Amino acid sequence: MQVSRRRFLSAALAAVAGRRAPNIVVILADDLGYGDLSCYNPGSRISTPNLDRLAAQGMRFTDAHSPSAVCTPTRYGLLTGRYCWRTWLTSGVLDGFDPPLVEPGRLTVASLLRRRGYATACVGKWHLGMEWTARDGTTVRRRASGGFRAGTDVDFTKPVRGGPRAAGFDWYYGISASLDMSPYCFIENERTVGIPDVPTPEERDLFMNQVPGVKTPDFRLQDVQPVLIRKAREYIWGRKDAANPFFLYLALASPHLPVVPNDAYIGRSKAGRYGDFVAELDGGVGAVMEALELSGQAANTLVLFTSDNGGLWHWWEYVEADDKAFGKVTPRSRYVRDFGHQSNAGLRGTKADIWEGGHRVPFLVRWPGVVKPGGVSHSLVGLNDLLATCAAILGERLPDDAGEDSISFLGALHDPAARTRDDLILHSLHGEFAVRQGDWKLALSRGSGGFSAPREVKPKPGEPAGQLYNLRTDPSETQNLYGKHPEIVASLESLLARYRKQGRSR
């Protein structure tokens, strides 16, 4: 830890000394882009008044990143403070029936806080694996490569173990994975809410991406967001008179596909159906904030809002150029162009990509009495830093076998100018690495490593093997400086190699 970081951390600890331990509410959106929020993007075609208010009442981080450009590995990093590529999941995501990814006994944000007297709850999308039982009595095993499973061979009368309750949460209500993956049902603690025995067909178009599966008879996609918000509000109200603080991890399933805004939000945005879905998410966040206010708990609650990766609804000129080469324009590119809204603002790429649009995310923190309203921090922050920050709030030091890649940003909450971390490792859907240090970002490959074209580029003789960008002068990653700064390339490659070899980065 650098001297400056020690100084700011000491000041932050002094500022919270003597206060009752705060309630902590972490709200994680799903596929929400950096440019979807109007507080980040003046050109956004979506009005997000509740999130804008949260930013005005707290601090807005401009250089925050998900450790991965897709959901499962980011959720692992968020809760464990460890890069997911250190596990058996080195690319891709889990499906709704894959086994638990969080190792038994590994310290998580929930287990850390619970052992310090917190009540802990998880509401929403888990997507970190669970132990399901097959009809023949065996445990459902890890999925082989290929599509997501339907789950018709699963015995839903049996308990579902190895999920949030095994990772330190006292209570759980939510869905096992993304809302386009089977099973389409709610789960409370270790039981499905009803038996999902109704077959569902495959359904794919611009706004839908449903794989074949099974659902409970009364399960509706449009109900998921309202139900999760209602459960979160009920939990908050239930803690109104409790003597001990609580930790609520609210992992929303929106605005990830399927895009299913409810009727009350149709037409709320100027960005079509996707924009309306984001507006509904904003309304849900407002409802949660209202519950904290009306229950009298807002003054002693730290609220953190962020997204698990960058947005999908983004159009970049190189995509159009690539499409023209094949004589077409993709429906999503046409949709985004028609409405004039880009989910990732001026950042290159989309969800899944190693480029900034894949992993730079909105990051808002409100903590009355500690975080000054209207603050803006340009400090480098990773979502995997939550564990170390919670430990710092409690005055704890993480053990050597926990939070191996987590560094506290508590100092930045006290002083927006405080430096937090010096570097960060980033990862794409298909397992491509990038390393960020200061203004410089090195991607080890030439393509996106995700959804955007070109995904892979095989360098010709004499061409650069990777990508190097100065994000201070070129945040949109338009000028590859790989060949001009071999010394920076070598330094960043060495840093990444060291962190991978030693099993930790702090």
Side-chain angles (χ1 to χ4, degrees), residues 332-425:
R332 185 167 291 114
S333 295
R334 183 182 299 115
Y335 175 89
V336 175
R337 184 175 57 195
D338 288 349
F339 285 101
H341 176 78
Q342 296 203 48
S343 190
N344 298 320
L347 303 177
R348 185 180 186 183
T350 74
K351 165 190 176 175
D353 296 348
I354 202 64
W355 296 318
E356 291 292 288
H359 51 77
R360 190 180 291 234
V361 293
F363 195 90
L364 308 174
V365 181
R366 188 187 80 173
W367 188 4
V370 176
V371 175
K372 293 181 180 180
V376 177
S377 174
H378 304 299
S379 296
L380 181 63
V381 172
L383 267 59
N384 41 305
D385 294 335
L386 178 63
L387 180 64
T389 304
C390 289
I393 290 172
L394 299 174
E396 282 203 18
R397 178 181 177 136
L398 290 176
D400 289 341
D401 63 348
E404 294 92 335
D405 304 299
S406 189
I407 294 175
S408 173
F409 55 82
L410 179 58
L413 298 183
H414 177 67
D415 183 343
R419 290 182 62 185
T420 51
R421 58 162 59 244
D422 297 319
D423 48 60
L424 187 66
I425 309 303

XYZ file of all heavy atoms in Angstrom, residues 332-425:
714
model
N -29.641 -4.457 -34.469
C -29.325 -3.674 -33.275
C -28.626 -2.369 -33.649
O -28.894 -1.321 -33.080
C -28.461 -4.498 -32.312
C -28.209 -3.783 -30.999
C -27.626 -4.697 -29.934
N -28.595 -5.684 -29.503
C -28.481 -6.985 -29.708
N -27.435 -7.464 -30.344
N -29.404 -7.818 -29.283
N -27.736 -2.410 -34.640
C -27.091 -1.183 -35.091
C -28.131 -0.213 -35.650
O -28.089 0.983 -35.378
C -26.048 -1.498 -36.162
O -24.986 -2.267 -35.635
N -29.070 -0.733 -36.395
C -30.114 0.114 -36.976
C -30.983 0.714 -35.872
O -31.320 1.901 -35.902
C -30.979 -0.687 -37.943
C -32.051 0.145 -38.641
C -32.920 -0.707 -39.554
N -32.156 -1.339 -40.607
C -31.981 -2.647 -40.732
N -32.510 -3.452 -39.830
N -31.270 -3.155 -41.716
N -31.330 -0.094 -34.876
C -32.163 0.385 -33.766
C -31.483 1.522 -33.018
O -32.077 2.576 -32.771
C -32.444 -0.785 -32.818
C -33.206 -0.402 -31.564
C -34.594 -0.410 -31.558
C -32.548 -0.028 -30.405
C -35.307 -0.058 -30.416
C -33.240 0.328 -29.266
C -34.619 0.305 -29.275
O -35.308 0.665 -28.140
N -30.222 1.328 -32.680
C -29.492 2.346 -31.926
C -29.337 3.613 -32.754
O -29.487 4.727 -32.258
C -28.129 1.795 -31.476
C -27.300 2.876 -30.806
C -28.322 0.623 -30.507
N -29.055 3.444 -34.025
C -28.887 4.608 -34.891
C -30.198 5.374 -35.037
O -30.227 6.605 -34.993
C -28.377 4.171 -36.255
C -28.085 5.347 -37.198
C -27.479 4.857 -38.486
N -28.351 3.891 -39.149
C -27.945 3.097 -40.130
N -26.699 3.119 -40.529
N -28.789 2.256 -40.699
N -31.305 4.658 -35.172
C -32.598 5.308 -35.365
C -32.986 6.161 -34.164
O -33.588 7.230 -34.314
C -33.688 4.268 -35.637
C -33.567 3.650 -37.025
O -32.782 4.173 -37.835
O -34.240 2.633 -37.275
N -32.655 5.698 -32.953
C -33.042 6.438 -31.753
C -31.954 7.402 -31.281
O -32.177 8.196 -30.373
C -33.412 5.469 -30.626
C -34.756 4.825 -30.812
C -34.866 3.540 -31.300
C -35.908 5.539 -30.524
C -36.112 2.952 -31.484
C -37.167 4.964 -30.702
C -37.260 3.666 -31.183
N -30.764 7.321 -31.860
C -29.718 8.261 -31.499
C -29.181 8.082 -30.098
O -28.629 9.017 -29.512
N -29.335 6.883 -29.548
C -28.838 6.621 -28.191
C -27.754 5.561 -28.225
O -27.930 4.506 -28.846
C -29.972 6.152 -27.284
C -29.506 5.771 -25.909
N -29.212 6.704 -24.943
C -29.257 4.557 -25.341
C -28.808 6.086 -23.844
N -28.832 4.787 -24.066
N -26.637 5.839 -27.562
C -25.566 4.857 -27.461
C -25.348 4.517 -25.990
O -25.001 5.376 -25.179
C -24.279 5.398 -28.086
C -24.436 5.642 -29.577
C -23.116 5.636 -30.302
O -22.305 4.739 -30.119
N -22.901 6.635 -31.134
N -25.569 3.266 -25.674
C -25.534 2.822 -24.292
C -24.200 3.090 -23.611
O -24.151 3.318 -22.407
C -25.849 1.318 -24.242
O -26.050 0.886 -22.928
N -23.123 3.067 -24.359
C -21.793 3.274 -23.775
C -21.196 4.636 -24.136
O -19.988 4.827 -24.032
C -20.854 2.146 -24.216
C -21.349 0.796 -23.733
O -21.824 0.671 -22.612
N -21.282 -0.216 -24.582
N -22.052 5.564 -24.559
C -21.619 6.923 -24.894
C -20.483 6.872 -25.922
O -20.585 6.195 -26.932
C -21.245 7.691 -23.641
N -19.373 7.550 -25.662
C -18.293 7.585 -26.633
C -17.280 6.480 -26.499
O -16.237 6.509 -27.166
N -17.561 5.486 -25.664
C -16.609 4.402 -25.454
C -16.719 3.363 -26.569
O -17.796 3.116 -27.104
C -16.855 3.733 -24.103
C -16.794 4.655 -22.886
C -17.129 3.884 -21.618
C -15.412 5.296 -22.766
N -15.611 2.730 -26.874
C -15.584 1.736 -27.937
C -16.082 0.384 -27.430
O -15.753 -0.056 -26.339
C -14.153 1.581 -28.465
C -14.037 0.658 -29.662
C -12.597 0.545 -30.121
N -12.488 -0.225 -31.346
C -11.330 -0.536 -31.933
N -10.196 -0.109 -31.418
N -11.319 -1.235 -33.048
N -16.876 -0.275 -28.259
C -17.264 -1.648 -27.959
C -18.521 -1.770 -27.124
O -19.165 -0.794 -26.738
N -18.880 -3.019 -26.838
C -20.099 -3.346 -26.101
C -19.778 -4.355 -25.006
O -18.640 -4.811 -24.860
C -21.153 -3.980 -27.020
O -20.764 -5.327 -27.331
C -21.315 -3.220 -28.313
N -20.811 -4.703 -24.274
C -20.735 -5.840 -23.362
C -19.955 -6.967 -24.030
O -20.082 -7.205 -25.234
C -22.160 -6.320 -23.051
C -22.223 -7.696 -22.409
C -23.647 -8.200 -22.346
C -23.687 -9.628 -21.791
N -25.051 -10.132 -21.602
N -19.146 -7.670 -23.245
C -18.347 -8.832 -23.675
C -16.989 -8.453 -24.222
O -16.087 -9.288 -24.258
C -19.090 -9.714 -24.686
N -16.801 -7.186 -24.658
C -15.556 -6.782 -25.306
C -14.477 -6.383 -24.300
O -14.769 -5.940 -23.192
C -15.797 -5.589 -26.228
C -16.718 -5.906 -27.386
O -16.996 -7.099 -27.618
O -17.151 -4.956 -28.063
N -13.225 -6.475 -24.734
C -12.103 -6.026 -23.914
C -11.965 -4.505 -23.972
O -11.285 -3.898 -23.153
C -10.792 -6.708 -24.362
C -9.756 -6.688 -23.231
C -10.248 -6.073 -25.636
C -10.139 -7.460 -22.001
N -12.626 -3.863 -24.933
C -12.587 -2.408 -25.036
C -13.397 -1.767 -23.909
O -14.195 -2.431 -23.239
C -13.091 -1.971 -26.411
C -12.197 -2.446 -27.528
C -10.832 -2.437 -27.533
C -12.593 -3.009 -28.778
N -10.352 -2.952 -28.716
C -11.410 -3.311 -29.508
C -13.827 -3.283 -29.369
C -11.436 -3.874 -30.775
C -13.852 -3.841 -30.637
C -12.668 -4.128 -31.330
N -13.237 -0.453 -23.726
C -13.823 0.241 -22.586
C -15.335 0.087 -22.495
O -15.893 0.024 -21.395
C -13.460 1.728 -22.624
C -11.994 2.023 -22.369
C -11.583 1.716 -20.938
O -11.975 2.455 -20.024
O -10.844 0.729 -20.757
N -16.015 0.036 -23.623
C -17.459 -0.151 -23.593
C -17.887 -1.460 -22.977
O -19.044 -1.616 -22.571
N -16.980 -2.410 -22.879
C -17.308 -3.711 -22.294
C -17.262 -3.730 -20.783
O -17.941 -4.552 -20.153
N -16.465 -2.837 -20.181
C -16.245 -2.965 -18.733
C -16.223 -1.667 -17.946
O -16.218 -1.703 -16.718
C -14.928 -3.715 -18.478
C -13.755 -3.154 -19.226
N -13.103 -2.013 -18.825
C -13.140 -3.578 -20.368
C -12.129 -1.755 -19.678
N -12.123 -2.685 -20.639
N -16.199 -0.493 -18.594
C -16.308 0.744 -17.816
C -17.780 0.934 -17.463
O -18.636 0.930 -18.336
C -15.781 1.951 -18.580
C -15.669 3.199 -17.685
C -15.148 4.397 -18.434
N -13.753 4.262 -18.819
C -12.801 5.154 -18.531
N -13.106 6.229 -17.810
N -11.572 4.970 -18.949
N -18.077 1.109 -16.185
C -19.465 1.066 -15.720
C -19.800 2.276 -14.852
O -18.912 2.887 -14.237
C -19.735 -0.225 -14.922
C -19.668 -1.451 -15.820
C -18.774 -0.371 -13.744
N -21.087 2.621 -14.768
C -21.500 3.639 -13.801
C -21.247 3.140 -12.384
O -21.363 1.939 -12.105
C -22.993 3.810 -14.074
C -23.413 2.550 -14.759
C -22.226 2.074 -15.528
N -20.896 4.047 -11.482
C -20.544 3.653 -10.116
C -20.878 4.837 -9.209
O -20.198 5.864 -9.228
C -19.054 3.312 -10.053
C -18.607 2.571 -8.832
C -18.606 1.180 -8.801
C -18.160 3.261 -7.709
C -18.156 0.491 -7.673
C -17.712 2.584 -6.582
C -17.712 1.188 -6.558
N -21.958 4.708 -8.455
C -22.463 5.778 -7.601
C -22.470 5.319 -6.153
O -22.885 4.184 -5.857
C -23.889 6.163 -8.008
C -24.127 6.493 -9.490
C -25.616 6.700 -9.745
C -23.334 7.721 -9.899
N -22.026 6.181 -5.242
C -22.005 5.848 -3.813
C -22.599 7.004 -3.018
O -22.140 8.143 -3.139
C -20.580 5.564 -3.297
C -20.622 5.194 -1.816
C -19.925 4.446 -4.098
N -23.605 6.705 -2.212
C -24.166 7.687 -1.292
C -24.009 7.174 0.137
O -24.390 6.049 0.437
C -25.654 7.927 -1.579
C -26.232 9.088 -0.759
C -27.735 9.204 -0.927
N -28.440 8.244 -0.086
C -29.768 8.217 0.067
N -30.512 9.084 -0.592
N -30.341 7.308 0.838
N -23.441 8.005 0.988
C -23.267 7.649 2.399
C -23.338 8.943 3.199
O -22.339 9.642 3.362
C -21.922 6.943 2.595
C -21.715 6.366 3.967
C -22.593 6.325 5.006
C -20.529 5.715 4.436
N -22.052 5.695 6.098
C -20.779 5.312 5.772
C -19.293 5.442 3.857
C -19.810 4.651 6.529
C -18.341 4.791 4.617
C -18.591 4.388 5.939
N -24.522 9.306 3.660
C -24.694 10.578 4.370
C -23.744 10.721 5.557
O -23.552 9.788 6.334
C -26.152 10.514 4.838
C -26.824 9.611 3.856
C -25.795 8.572 3.524
N -23.160 11.895 5.676
C -22.246 12.177 6.773
C -20.815 11.774 6.505
O -19.910 12.159 7.246
N -20.577 10.991 5.456
C -19.219 10.563 5.099
C -18.879 11.037 3.688
O -17.856 11.677 3.464
C -19.052 9.034 5.219
C -17.669 8.602 4.749
C -19.303 8.575 6.646
N -19.734 10.718 2.733
C -19.520 11.137 1.347
C -20.207 12.478 1.132
O -21.425 12.600 1.307
C -20.076 10.086 0.366
C -19.970 10.586 -1.069
C -19.341 8.765 0.532
N -19.449 13.471 0.742
C -20.018 14.789 0.491
C -20.856 14.754 -0.781
O -20.434 14.205 -1.799
C -18.908 15.832 0.370
C -18.153 16.081 1.673
C -17.084 17.147 1.494
C -16.339 17.385 2.803
N -15.280 18.425 2.647
N -22.033 15.381 -0.748
C -22.906 15.375 -1.938
C -22.237 16.038 -3.145
O -21.475 16.989 -3.016
C -24.124 16.187 -1.483
C -24.117 16.069 0.011
C -22.664 16.028 0.405
N -22.537 15.490 -4.306
C -22.068 16.077 -5.556
C -20.626 15.821 -5.896
O -20.088 16.442 -6.817
N -19.989 14.884 -5.208
C -18.582 14.602 -5.473
C -18.381 13.807 -6.750
O -19.246 13.039 -7.173
N -17.234 14.018 -7.364
C -16.847 13.251 -8.555
C -15.422 12.761 -8.343
O -14.529 13.549 -8.033
C -16.912 14.102 -9.836
C -16.443 13.288 -11.036
C -18.333 14.613 -10.069
N -15.221 11.466 -8.468
C -13.893 10.880 -8.315
C -13.436 10.279 -9.633
O -14.193 9.571 -10.303
C -13.898 9.790 -7.239
O -12.650 9.127 -7.193
N -12.196 10.574 -9.993
C -11.600 9.994 -11.192
C -10.642 8.858 -10.842
O -9.860 8.415 -11.683
C -10.868 11.073 -11.989
C -11.733 12.245 -12.348
N -12.865 12.112 -13.130
C -11.665 13.564 -12.002
C -13.446 13.299 -13.270
N -12.734 14.190 -12.600
N -10.714 8.384 -9.592
C -9.851 7.291 -9.156
C -10.219 5.997 -9.865
O -11.396 5.732 -10.150
C -9.985 7.078 -7.641
O -9.528 8.194 -6.933
N -9.216 5.183 -10.145
C -9.433 3.870 -10.753
C -10.010 2.927 -9.705
O -9.444 2.753 -8.621
C -8.108 3.324 -11.286
C -8.142 1.960 -11.979
C -9.016 2.007 -13.233
C -6.728 1.501 -12.312
N -11.152 2.327 -10.022
C -11.854 1.439 -9.090
C -12.325 0.204 -9.845
O -12.754 0.293 -10.994
C -13.065 2.147 -8.449
C -13.911 1.172 -7.642
C -12.612 3.285 -7.549
N -12.241 -0.955 -9.186
C -12.797 -2.193 -9.728
C -13.913 -2.693 -8.845
O -13.894 -2.479 -7.624
N -14.897 -3.376 -9.420
C -15.986 -3.910 -8.616
C -15.495 -4.939 -7.614
O -16.133 -5.186 -6.588
C -17.065 -4.518 -9.516
C -18.217 -3.581 -9.914
C -17.702 -2.358 -10.644
C -19.256 -4.312 -10.751
N -14.343 -5.544 -7.889
C -13.764 -6.498 -6.946
C -13.214 -5.810 -5.706
O -12.737 -6.483 -4.780
C -12.662 -7.320 -7.626
C -11.771 -6.504 -8.531
O -12.258 -5.827 -9.426
N -10.471 -6.569 -8.323
N -13.287 -4.475 -5.635
C -12.777 -3.742 -4.472
C -13.803 -3.615 -3.353
O -13.507 -3.055 -2.290
C -12.317 -2.343 -4.898
C -11.115 -2.386 -5.820
O -10.362 -3.378 -5.758
O -10.928 -1.441 -6.612
N -15.011 -4.119 -3.556
C -16.040 -3.996 -2.522
C -15.641 -4.711 -1.237
O -15.858 -4.193 -0.136
C -17.371 -4.549 -3.048
C -18.530 -4.537 -2.047
C -18.889 -3.113 -1.645
C -19.752 -5.259 -2.636
N -15.067 -5.910 -1.338
C -14.725 -6.677 -0.138
C -13.733 -5.921 0.738
O -13.931 -5.775 1.954
C -14.160 -8.041 -0.534
C -13.765 -8.955 0.641
C -14.972 -9.325 1.475
C -13.073 -10.221 0.118
N -12.652 -5.432 0.157
C -11.648 -4.714 0.934
C -12.216 -3.425 1.518
O -11.847 -3.022 2.631
C -10.431 -4.406 0.067
N -13.119 -2.789 0.796
C -13.728 -1.556 1.296
C -14.612 -1.833 2.499
O -14.574 -1.096 3.497
C -14.537 -0.877 0.179
O -13.684 -0.653 -0.951
C -15.117 0.440 0.654
N -15.406 -2.896 2.438
C -16.236 -3.262 3.595
C -15.362 -3.618 4.790
O -15.674 -3.251 5.932
C -17.154 -4.426 3.234
S -18.492 -3.980 2.102
N -14.264 -4.322 4.546
C -13.348 -4.653 5.640
C -12.779 -3.377 6.250
O -12.668 -3.248 7.482
C -12.229 -5.554 5.130
N -12.407 -2.406 5.416
C -11.847 -1.147 5.920
C -12.877 -0.373 6.729
O -12.548 0.234 7.762
C -11.345 -0.301 4.755
N -14.125 -0.389 6.304
C -15.181 0.287 7.055
C -15.296 -0.302 8.455
O -15.536 0.417 9.439
C -16.520 0.183 6.302
C -16.483 1.051 5.037
C -17.693 0.579 7.187
C -17.675 0.864 4.117
N -15.106 -1.603 8.556
C -15.196 -2.292 9.854
C -13.871 -2.272 10.613
O -13.795 -2.797 11.732
C -15.631 -3.741 9.631
C -16.996 -3.936 8.965
C -17.234 -5.406 8.674
C -18.109 -3.363 9.829
N -12.832 -1.692 10.008
C -11.524 -1.663 10.665
C -10.817 -2.989 10.649
O -9.945 -3.254 11.478
N -11.154 -3.853 9.680
C -10.550 -5.178 9.575
C -9.490 -5.214 8.483
O -9.537 -4.444 7.526
C -11.614 -6.243 9.262
C -12.430 -6.662 10.450
C -13.034 -8.050 10.249
O -12.549 -8.791 9.364
O -13.968 -8.384 10.975
N -8.577 -6.140 8.634
C -7.607 -6.425 7.576
C -7.955 -7.789 6.988
O -8.174 -8.762 7.721
C -6.192 -6.459 8.155
C -5.133 -6.791 7.118
C -3.766 -6.846 7.745
N -2.780 -7.242 6.747
C -1.607 -6.675 6.586
N -1.257 -5.664 7.357
N -0.765 -7.090 5.666
N -8.004 -7.863 5.674
C -8.341 -9.128 5.036
C -7.237 -10.154 5.247
O -6.052 -9.815 5.166
C -8.557 -8.928 3.537
C -9.798 -8.151 3.106
C -9.804 -7.964 1.592
C -11.074 -8.861 3.548
N -7.601 -11.411 5.492
C -6.581 -12.457 5.579
C -5.916 -12.675 4.224
O -6.453 -12.282 3.176
C -7.377 -13.688 6.024
C -8.787 -13.407 5.629
C -8.967 -11.925 5.724
N -4.770 -13.310 4.225
C -4.014 -13.499 2.982
C -4.744 -14.379 1.967
O -4.486 -14.283 0.765
C -2.642 -14.109 3.293
C -1.728 -13.114 3.992
O -1.998 -11.902 3.905
O -0.749 -13.558 4.636
N -5.637 -15.245 2.444
C -6.323 -16.163 1.533
C -7.705 -15.660 1.133
O -8.574 -16.438 0.744
C -6.435 -17.552 2.169
C -7.272 -17.549 3.446
O -7.571 -16.453 3.973
O -7.605 -18.648 3.935
N -7.918 -14.356 1.209
C -9.209 -13.772 0.826
C -8.988 -12.440 0.124
O -8.003 -11.744 0.390
C -10.086 -13.574 2.058
N -9.887 -12.102 -0.767
C -9.816 -10.811 -1.445
C -8.480 -10.547 -2.096
O -7.948 -9.439 -2.018
N -7.938 -11.552 -2.771
C -6.589 -11.443 -3.327
C -6.413 -10.313 -4.332
O -5.290 -9.879 -4.598
C -6.197 -12.780 -3.991
C -6.038 -13.946 -3.029
C -7.294 -14.748 -2.829
O -8.403 -14.194 -3.027
O -7.201 -15.947 -2.485
N -7.522 -9.832 -4.886
C -7.444 -8.778 -5.895
C -8.328 -7.586 -5.519
O -8.815 -6.863 -6.387
C -7.867 -9.337 -7.257
C -7.038 -10.539 -7.664
O -5.814 -10.385 -7.807
O -7.613 -11.640 -7.821
N -8.519 -7.373 -4.227
C -9.412 -6.326 -3.741
C -8.636 -5.254 -3.000
O -7.836 -5.569 -2.105
C -10.471 -6.943 -2.811
O -11.473 -6.014 -2.486
N -8.855 -3.990 -3.361
C -8.195 -2.853 -2.721
C -9.257 -1.836 -2.319
O -10.114 -1.463 -3.133
C -7.158 -2.214 -3.661
C -6.007 -3.197 -3.923
C -6.617 -0.903 -3.100
C -4.990 -2.715 -4.934
N -9.213 -1.369 -1.096
C -10.246 -0.489 -0.574
C -10.290 0.856 -1.300
O -9.252 1.457 -1.583
C -10.016 -0.243 0.916
O -10.907 0.744 1.410
N -11.508 1.325 -1.574
C -11.687 2.686 -2.098
C -12.304 3.600 -1.035
O -12.841 4.665 -1.347
C -12.537 2.691 -3.374
C -13.895 2.039 -3.256
C -14.983 2.723 -2.732
C -14.092 0.738 -3.705
C -16.235 2.136 -2.640
C -15.339 0.134 -3.614
C -16.416 0.836 -3.088
N -12.213 3.197 0.236
C -12.753 4.008 1.315
C -12.125 5.401 1.345
O -12.794 6.396 1.617
C -12.553 3.304 2.659
C -13.062 4.041 3.908
C -14.556 4.344 3.798
C -12.772 3.218 5.158
N -10.834 5.491 1.053
C -10.167 6.786 1.041
C -10.793 7.745 0.046
O -10.913 8.947 0.314
N -11.210 7.230 -1.116
C -11.822 8.082 -2.135
C -13.207 8.551 -1.712
O -13.648 9.625 -2.135
C -11.901 7.337 -3.464
N -13.893 7.781 -0.881
C -15.194 8.221 -0.393
C -15.035 9.421 0.536
O -15.906 10.288 0.607
C -15.911 7.079 0.340
C -16.239 5.836 -0.490
C -17.003 4.837 0.352
C -17.027 6.197 -1.745
N -13.930 9.466 1.239
C -13.642 10.591 2.124
C -13.101 11.790 1.352
O -13.413 12.941 1.678
C -12.621 10.155 3.184
C -12.191 11.251 4.093
N -13.040 11.846 5.001
C -10.997 11.873 4.238
C -12.385 12.783 5.671
N -11.148 12.817 5.219
N -12.294 11.527 0.342
C -11.677 12.593 -0.451
C -11.660 12.159 -1.906
O -10.925 11.237 -2.269
C -10.252 12.851 0.050
C -9.583 14.001 -0.682
O -10.054 14.392 -1.762
O -8.569 14.516 -0.172
N -12.461 12.792 -2.773
C -12.527 12.370 -4.176
C -11.191 12.379 -4.894
O -11.016 11.664 -5.882
C -13.478 13.407 -4.803
C -14.262 13.953 -3.666
C -13.352 13.920 -2.477
N -10.236 13.169 -4.405
C -8.932 13.251 -5.067
C -7.996 12.124 -4.662
O -6.906 11.989 -5.225
C -8.275 14.602 -4.768
N -8.406 11.329 -3.683
C -7.531 10.256 -3.204
C -7.340 9.181 -4.264
O -8.279 8.812 -4.971
C -8.110 9.626 -1.938
N -6.123 8.678 -4.385
C -5.859 7.547 -5.275
C -6.247 6.265 -4.564
O -6.043 6.108 -3.359
C -4.385 7.502 -5.655
C -3.966 8.638 -6.575
C -2.512 8.508 -6.965
N -2.259 7.268 -7.704
C -1.039 6.881 -8.073
N 0.015 7.622 -7.750
N -0.874 5.766 -8.754
N -6.795 5.351 -5.307
C -7.200 4.073 -4.725
C -6.252 2.958 -5.170
O -5.386 2.550 -4.434
C -8.650 3.750 -5.126
O -8.789 3.887 -6.548
C -9.624 4.706 -4.449
N -6.410 2.491 -6.375
C -5.525 1.445 -6.890
C -4.714 1.993 -8.063
O -5.120 2.937 -8.738
C -6.302 0.197 -7.287
C -7.371 0.424 -8.328
C -7.822 -0.864 -9.011
N -8.363 -1.891 -8.154
C -7.786 -3.085 -7.991
N -6.654 -3.375 -8.633
N -8.335 -4.004 -7.233
N -3.571 1.355 -8.307
C -2.690 1.784 -9.397
C -2.943 1.035 -10.694
O -2.629 1.535 -11.784
C -1.223 1.583 -8.993
C -0.837 2.428 -7.802
O -1.264 3.593 -7.743
O -0.122 1.913 -6.915
N -3.473 -0.180 -10.586
C -3.647 -0.998 -11.782
C -4.846 -1.904 -11.628
O -5.391 -2.074 -10.528
C -2.375 -1.822 -12.046
C -1.874 -2.536 -10.806
O -2.636 -3.357 -10.245
O -0.743 -2.271 -10.369
N -5.266 -2.491 -12.736
C -6.446 -3.341 -12.748
C -6.344 -4.292 -13.932
O -5.935 -3.891 -15.024
C -7.707 -2.480 -12.879
C -9.063 -3.169 -12.739
C -9.258 -3.695 -11.324
C -10.184 -2.183 -13.085
N -6.722 -5.554 -13.701
C -6.736 -6.548 -14.775
C -8.166 -6.687 -15.284
O -9.110 -6.787 -14.495
C -6.210 -7.911 -14.294
C -4.858 -7.745 -13.600
C -6.104 -8.881 -15.473
C -3.791 -7.087 -14.442
